Amino acid sequence: HRGERLITVAGSPLRAGVLVAAGALEITVHGDDLARTCGTDHPLPEPLASDLLAYLPLLVQPGDRPVRFAPALATPSGAPPSTRLLAQLGRPA
Protein backbone atom coordinates (compact mmCIF):
# COMPACT_ATOMS: atom_id res chain seq x y z
CA HIS A 1 0.00 0.00 0.00
CA ARG A 2 2.70 2.41 -1.03
CA GLY A 3 1.67 5.99 -0.94
CA GLU A 4 -1.33 5.30 1.29
CA ARG A 5 -1.97 8.12 3.69
CA LEU A 6 -0.88 7.65 7.30
CA ILE A 7 -2.93 9.04 10.13
CA THR A 8 -2.29 9.07 13.85
CA VAL A 9 -4.57 7.27 16.28
CA ALA A 10 -3.75 7.46 20.00
CA GLY A 11 -0.23 8.56 19.08
CA SER A 12 0.42 5.66 16.73
CA PRO A 13 0.67 5.84 12.93
CA LEU A 14 -1.97 3.87 11.03
CA ARG A 15 -2.65 3.44 7.33
CA ALA A 16 -5.92 5.13 6.45
CA GLY A 17 -7.17 1.95 4.73
CA VAL A 18 -6.80 -0.03 7.94
CA LEU A 19 -8.86 2.53 9.83
CA VAL A 20 -11.55 2.40 7.14
CA ALA A 21 -11.55 -1.41 7.32
CA ALA A 22 -11.92 -1.29 11.12
CA GLY A 23 -14.93 1.00 10.77
CA ALA A 24 -16.42 -1.18 8.05
CA LEU A 25 -15.94 -4.28 10.20
CA GLU A 26 -17.67 -2.64 13.18
CA ILE A 27 -20.63 -1.43 11.10
CA THR A 28 -20.97 -4.72 9.25
CA VAL A 29 -20.84 -7.01 12.26
CA HIS A 30 -22.93 -4.87 14.59
CA GLY A 31 -25.43 -4.31 11.78
CA ASP A 32 -25.69 -8.07 11.45
CA ASP A 33 -26.19 -8.35 15.22
CA LEU A 34 -29.02 -5.80 15.07
CA ALA A 35 -30.68 -7.44 12.08
CA ARG A 36 -30.64 -10.82 13.84
CA THR A 37 -32.00 -9.30 17.05
CA CYS A 38 -34.86 -7.77 15.08
CA GLY A 39 -35.54 -11.08 13.34
CA THR A 40 -34.53 -9.72 9.95
CA ASP A 41 -32.56 -11.81 7.49
CA HIS A 42 -30.07 -9.56 5.71
CA PRO A 43 -27.09 -11.69 4.70
CA LEU A 44 -23.71 -10.01 4.58
CA PRO A 45 -22.59 -9.19 1.04
CA GLU A 46 -19.98 -11.80 0.12
CA PRO A 47 -17.57 -9.32 -1.56
CA LEU A 48 -17.60 -7.14 1.58
CA ALA A 49 -17.06 -10.15 3.84
CA SER A 50 -14.18 -11.30 1.64
CA ASP A 51 -12.52 -7.86 1.80
CA LEU A 52 -12.95 -7.69 5.58
CA LEU A 53 -11.48 -11.19 6.02
CA ALA A 54 -8.26 -9.91 4.45
CA TYR A 55 -7.98 -7.23 7.16
CA LEU A 56 -9.00 -9.45 10.07
CA PRO A 57 -5.44 -10.48 11.08
CA LEU A 58 -4.61 -6.77 11.49
CA LEU A 59 -7.79 -5.95 13.39
CA VAL A 60 -8.29 -8.90 15.74
CA GLN A 61 -5.32 -10.05 17.78
CA PRO A 62 -5.16 -13.00 20.20
CA GLY A 63 -5.34 -10.58 23.14
CA ASP A 64 -8.73 -9.38 21.87
CA ARG A 65 -10.23 -12.73 22.86
CA PRO A 66 -12.29 -13.14 24.98
CA VAL A 67 -12.36 -9.45 25.90
CA ARG A 68 -13.61 -7.95 22.62
CA PHE A 69 -14.44 -11.08 20.63
CA ALA A 70 -15.54 -14.59 21.50
CA PRO A 71 -13.29 -17.47 20.48
CA ALA A 72 -13.42 -18.24 16.77
CA LEU A 73 -15.91 -20.89 15.72
CA ALA A 74 -15.13 -23.77 13.37
CA THR A 75 -16.42 -23.42 9.82
CA PRO A 76 -17.06 -26.14 7.29
CA SER A 77 -14.69 -26.50 4.38
CA GLY A 78 -15.78 -24.29 1.52
CA ALA A 79 -17.89 -21.99 3.72
CA PRO A 80 -18.66 -18.63 2.09
CA PRO A 81 -16.73 -15.53 3.22
CA SER A 82 -19.66 -14.21 5.26
CA THR A 83 -19.81 -17.42 7.30
CA ARG A 84 -16.04 -17.43 7.81
CA LEU A 85 -16.00 -13.74 8.83
CA LEU A 86 -18.72 -14.16 11.43
CA ALA A 87 -17.16 -17.39 12.72
CA GLN A 88 -13.76 -15.73 13.13
CA LEU A 89 -15.47 -13.16 15.34
CA GLY A 90 -17.17 -15.83 17.43
CA ARG A 91 -20.60 -15.37 15.86
CA PRO A 92 -22.63 -18.15 14.27
CA ALA A 93 -23.68 -17.59 10.67
Side-chain angles (χ1 to χ4, degrees):
H1 303 286
R2 292 181 81 176
E4 187 173 356
R5 185 171 155 219
L6 288 178
I7 56 173
T8 302
V9 175
S12 298
L14 183 67
R15 290 192 334 247
V18 174
L19 181 62
V20 170
L25 180 68
E26 288 290 324
I27 292 167
T28 299
V29 174
H30 291 303
D32 184 68
D33 291 341
L34 288 170
R36 288 170 187 250
T37 299
C38 293
T40 306
D41 183 23
H42 287 286
L44 300 181
E46 296 302 334
L48 174 62
S50 183
D51 287 346
L52 292 174
L53 274 169
Y55 280 94
L56 213 54
L58 297 172
L59 301 174
V60 179
Q61 301 294 308
D64 293 324
R65 299 178 197 276
V67 178
R68 293 183 185 92
F69 300 98
L73 304 174
T75 55
S77 176
S82 60
T83 299
R84 294 192 335 260
L85 177 67
L86 293 172
Q88 286 299 310
L89 300 173
R91 291 167 163 86

